[in-house]
């Protein structure tokens, strides 16, 4: 069988390359086997990544056992939690492109035949999936698994509990000692943060797309099953190479629709409205923001996990995991889509609720008895967002789903946080934070620091937030992000003035600025594009190249 790696290992002219491979300890037999790249985002900076070195070793064992030669390399991984609320968050979304580029370049430079992609956290998993689509080499995605929930004062807590605890201290509800006790309990060890935040949402979608083995999204990071999945993923990478199954065979429009439906049923992070279209763009599959809106109207919300509810990923796992959610959704899914764990998605489907009856009924509702008839993410449009904007409707209180109020405008997140701290924001207002989009940010910063202050303090349920930036998967409340076109590109958000009335109607998918068009036209003539915040380096390049959030914030020319 001919291998792509033959260009590196075969023939007299490749003696220099073989000499270098021998320096690694490879023997003739190793070079006869297919070379399987193991892309690993291990580091000791991020809790979700600190254990990935162990998983990579197990995946390498699986590759060898299946007849391949593993070759491990690393890529970067940024922790959104550590980067949150300061200038570091500018780097997060741009890192998705760096991850994708690094995997692509390493695989092409060294002639790998197949890939095991090992990652956790928000931008790293989609970056690796983007690379898989670009390269179209047989590939299996292995995510690092969720962190266990913390235990505090008789209840379960996670990172978002700490962010909201900051607001309770600032509002005088808590002492700093209470916050410190929570801080020490919330994150008990390795893994991606315990709720249905972006990292775990993306892990679930890897399964739903068919690029990860069953159970890969929800088995805890430190569980024996996670280790078994790592070894099995290495074996599976060699198997899909033998089968000739490639990512573009899997990443079809039907597969993206399946993944989106699972996302909507789970009430997942709004960041998937960036990542799924970006992955689809690389796969040349037609899937975008309009599909989220269409499918949301057809897909019920079945699970209420943190931040919308009390359940964490360990509860979803005990209820049957993504397989059980897909089993509940089965009439709405295309189960003929191919998958790395079997011949098709149909092979993924567990026995679902019948095997996990007691817990499953509490965690995963049925199509006949959903939490709501529509999915957990809603796409709004109107004169303030002609190209759309998104909200995690599953995490919005019922009384806030229709809301209007006067705007309070801020040109960056820091100014809005300072105004909150000064108690300058009034109940009934719509907080506008602009110039935080993909190009204007740059990097479309998440605003968990701001949303947690609102959700954890006295303004909870009393104000809305509208931005061209984005939100953590842990955000809740009437937080509307991804407003497109963004303000720095001349979008209407840049024309809003304090006191202008903004009306939201989430059920009707509407967002309107109650200012007539003649006035907006006059304001547009006087609008000036702000100076760029970065004039050199990676962020300056990113700002110059990034496209609209409505299309996944992909780089122009890619």
């Amino acid at each position: 069988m001919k291998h792509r790696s033959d260009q590196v290992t075969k023939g007299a002219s490749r003696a220099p390359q073989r000499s270098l491979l021998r320096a690694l300890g490879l023997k003739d037999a190793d070079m006869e086997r297919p070379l399987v790249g193991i892309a690993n985002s291990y580091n000791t900076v991020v809790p979700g990544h600190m254990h990935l070195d162990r998983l990579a070793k197990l995946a390498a064992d699986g590759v060898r056992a299946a007849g391949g030669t593993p070759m491990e390399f690393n890529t970067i991984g940024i922790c959104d939690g550590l980067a949150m609320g300061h200038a570091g968050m500018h780097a997060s979304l741009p890192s998705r492109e760096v991850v994708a580029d690094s995997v692509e370049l390493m695989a092409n430079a060294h002639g790998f035949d197949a890939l095991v992609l090992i990652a956790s956290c928000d931008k790293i998993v989609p970056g690796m999936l983007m690379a898989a689509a670009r390269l179209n080499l047989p590939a299996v995605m292995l995510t690092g698994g969720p962190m266990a929930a913390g235990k505090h004062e008789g209840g379960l807590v996670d990172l978002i509990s700490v962010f909201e605890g900051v607001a309770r201290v600032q509002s005088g509800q808590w002492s700093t000692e209470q916050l410190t006790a929570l801080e020490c309990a919330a994150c008990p060890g390795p893994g991606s943060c315990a709720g249905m935040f972006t990292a775990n949402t993306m892990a679930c979608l890897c399964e739903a797309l068919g690029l990860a083995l069953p159970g890969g999204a929800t088995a805890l990071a430190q569980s024996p099953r996670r280790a078994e999945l790592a070894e099995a993923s290495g074996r599976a990478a060699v198997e899909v190479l033998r089968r000739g199954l490639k990512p573009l065979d899997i990443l079809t429009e039907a597969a993206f629709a399946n993944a989106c439906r699972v996302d909507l049923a789970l009430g997942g992070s709004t960041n998937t409205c960036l990542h799924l279209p970006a992955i689809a763009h690389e796969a040349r599959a037609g899937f975008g923001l309009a599909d989220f809106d269409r499918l949301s109207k057809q897909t019920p919300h079945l699970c209420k996990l943190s931040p919308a509810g009390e359940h964490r990923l360990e509860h979803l796992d005990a209820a049957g995991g993504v397989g059980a959610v897909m089993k509940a959704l089965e009439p709405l899914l295309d189960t003929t889509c191919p998958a790395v764990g079997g011949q098709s998605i149909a092979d993924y489907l567990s026995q679902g609720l019948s095997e996990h009856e007691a817990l499953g009924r509490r965690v995963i509702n049925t199509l006949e008895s959903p939490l709501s008839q529509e999915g957990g993410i809603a796409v709004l449009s109107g004169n303030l967002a002609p190209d759309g904007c998104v909200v995690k409707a599953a995490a919005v209180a019922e009384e806030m789903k229709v809301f209007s109020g006067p705007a309070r405008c801020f040109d960056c997140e820091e100014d809005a946080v300072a105004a909150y701290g000064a108690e300058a924001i009034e109940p009934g207002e719509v907080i506008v934070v602009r110039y935080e989009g993909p190009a204007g940010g740059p990097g479309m910063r998440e605003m968990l620091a701001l949303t947690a202050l609102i959700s954890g303090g006295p303004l909870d349920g009393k104000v809305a937030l509208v931005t061209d930036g984005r939100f953590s998967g842990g955000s809740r409340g009437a937080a509307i992000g991804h407003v497109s076109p963004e303000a720095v590109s001349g979008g209407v958000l840049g024309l809003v003035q304090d006191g202008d009335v903004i009306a939201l109607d989430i059920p009707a998918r509407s967002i309107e600025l109650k200012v007539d068009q003649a006035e907006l036209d006059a304001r547009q003539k006087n609008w000036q594009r702000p100076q760029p915040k970065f004039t050199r380096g990676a962020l300056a390049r990113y700002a110059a190249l990034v496209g609209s959030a409505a299309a996944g914030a992909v780089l122009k020319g890619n």
Side-chain angles (χ1 to χ4, degrees):
M1 176 181 178
K2 285 185 176 288
H3 296 132
R4 184 172 183 262
S5 57
D6 289 351
Q7 63 185 312
V8 177
T9 61
K10 297 294 191 295
S13 65
R14 293 296 180 254
Q17 284 84 353
R18 289 194 298 275
S19 182
L20 290 167
L21 293 174
R22 292 182 196 282
L24 298 173
L26 269 61
K27 309 299 184 188
D28 288 340
D30 299 315
M31 289 182 270
E32 288 295 324
R33 295 176 166 196
L35 301 184
V36 179
I38 299 179
N40 184 5
S41 60
Y42 162 76
N43 61 52
T44 59
V45 178
V46 186
H49 297 185
M50 62 188 288
H51 62 303
L52 299 186
D53 57 337
R54 301 194 298 276
L55 298 185
K57 288 181 174 62
L58 291 165
D61 291 343
V63 169
R64 288 190 197 92
T69 296
M71 303 195 77
E72 184 184 349
F73 63 95
N74 289 83
T75 187
I76 66 168
I78 286 175
C79 178
D80 281 14
L82 290 173
M84 194 72 65
H86 57 87
M89 183 48 72
H90 289 294
S92 175
L93 186 58
S95 75
R96 185 186 72 179
E97 315 307 316
V98 176
V99 170
D101 290 350
S102 64
V103 174
E104 174 194 1
L105 293 172
M106 284 293 289
N108 279 332
H110 302 105
F112 297 144
D113 299 296
L115 294 167
V116 181
L117 305 169
I118 304 178
S120 281
C121 300
D122 302 20
K123 312 309 166 297
I124 303 89
V125 172
M128 288 198 177
L129 295 178
M130 289 164 67
R134 280 184 208 169
L135 290 160
N136 200 31
L137 297 175
V140 175
M141 187 77 222
L142 170 66
T143 51
M147 184 186 293
K151 296 177 175 60
H152 180 63
E153 294 184 350
L156 296 179
V157 292
D158 54 40
L159 180 66
I160 306 309
S161 310
V162 187
F163 272 98
E164 295 189 357
V166 173
R168 294 188 176 95
V169 171
Q170 291 193 5
S171 63
Q173 299 174 61
W174 275 14
S175 68
T176 54
E177 290 77 16
Q178 286 176 293
L179 179 61
T180 299
L182 174 61
E183 169 193 331
C184 294
C187 299
S192 47
C193 297
M196 189 51 71
F197 315 142
T198 308
N200 289 325
T201 303
M202 284 307 308
C204 292
L205 299 196
C206 291
E207 274 197 64
L209 284 167
L211 276 169
L213 297 182
T218 56
L220 290 178
Q222 293 187 291
S223 67
R225 197 148 54 91
R226 177 61 51 188
E228 293 166 5
L229 282 161
E231 198 271 347
S233 295
R235 289 178 178 271
V238 179
E239 177 58 28
V240 293
L241 173 62
R242 289 188 178 126
R243 288 166 57 190
L245 182 66
K246 297 180 178 180
L248 295 188
D249 301 323
I250 295 171
L251 295 174
T252 62
E253 291 181 21
F256 283 105
N258 283 347
C260 185
R261 286 190 188 275
V262 170
D263 187 5
L264 294 164
L266 288 168
S269 166
T270 53
N271 279 313
T272 57
C273 296
L274 292 172
H275 298 324
L276 278 184
I279 298 162
H281 176 81
E282 299 290 357
R284 302 295 188 266
F287 186 85
L289 201 57
D291 296 292
F292 267 93
D293 189 42
R294 172 178 60 84
L295 293 169
S296 183
K297 294 173 182 176
Q298 304 169 4
T299 307
H301 178 209
L302 302 182
C303 303
K304 199 166 188 176
L305 296 112
S306 177
E310 292 302 312
H311 293 129
R312 269 67 177 190
L313 264 288
E314 58 203 75
H315 302 114
L316 180 61
D317 187 59
V322 174
V325 176
M326 295 181 78
K327 189 71 176 176
L329 289 172
E330 190 170 8
L332 303 178
L333 301 179
D334 184 342
T335 61
T336 67
C337 291
V340 298
Q343 294 302 310
S344 69
I345 287 291
D347 298 328
Y348 268 49
L349 300 184
S350 70
Q351 295 302 305
L353 295 177
S354 60
E355 273 194 358
H356 305 272
E357 192 76 27
L359 183 58
R361 292 292 180 187
R362 294 201 301 272
V363 179
I364 306 169
N365 285 45
T366 63
L367 288 180
E368 296 73 29
S369 182
L371 292 165
S372 65
Q373 291 295 333
E374 295 189 349
I377 293 173
V379 179
L380 315 184
S381 62
N383 69 339
L384 190 57
D387 295 341
C389 56
V390 299
V391 60
K392 191 171 186 176
V396 180
E398 201 61 38
E399 63 272 16
M400 289 296 294
K401 289 185 176 178
V402 178
F403 183 84
S404 66
R408 282 293 308 279
C409 299
F410 304 95
D411 288 349
C412 66
E413 180 191 10
E414 287 85 352
D415 289 351
V417 170
Y420 177 94
E423 300 182 356
I425 297 172
E426 298 292 333
E429 292 183 328
V430 178
I431 303 166
V432 172
V433 183
R434 57 196 174 196
Y435 302 114
E436 290 284 11
M444 203 179 182
R445 291 192 292 173
E446 289 185 348
M447 298 187 188
L448 180 57
L450 179 57
T451 59
L453 285 173
I454 295 168
S455 298
L459 292 178
D460 185 27
K462 298 176 182 176
V463 296
L465 172 58
V466 176
T467 181
D468 50 8
R470 61 194 176 92
F471 302 113
S472 161
S475 294
R476 62 184 178 90
I480 292 85
H482 305 211
V483 170
S484 300
E486 62 176 296
V488 81
S489 299
V492 175
L493 196 68
L495 307 181
V496 181
Q497 296 180 359
D498 285 349
D500 290 347
V501 174
I502 295 174
L504 314 172
D505 190 332
I506 294 173
R509 303 294 203 269
S510 172
I511 181 167
E512 291 290 333
L513 176 65
K514 300 298 186 179
V515 176
D516 66 54
Q517 190 59 46
E519 172 62 18
L520 292 176
D521 291 342
R523 293 181 189 180
Q524 188 76 64
K525 290 177 182 177
N526 295 319
W527 177 81
Q528 292 185 331
R529 182 187 176 95
Q531 291 298 309
K533 297 169 188 172
F534 298 88
T535 57
R536 56 186 302 181
L539 292 173
R541 290 195 304 274
Y542 182 82
L545 292 172
V546 69
S548 170
V554 298
L555 299 187
K556 297 167 187 173
N558 187 12

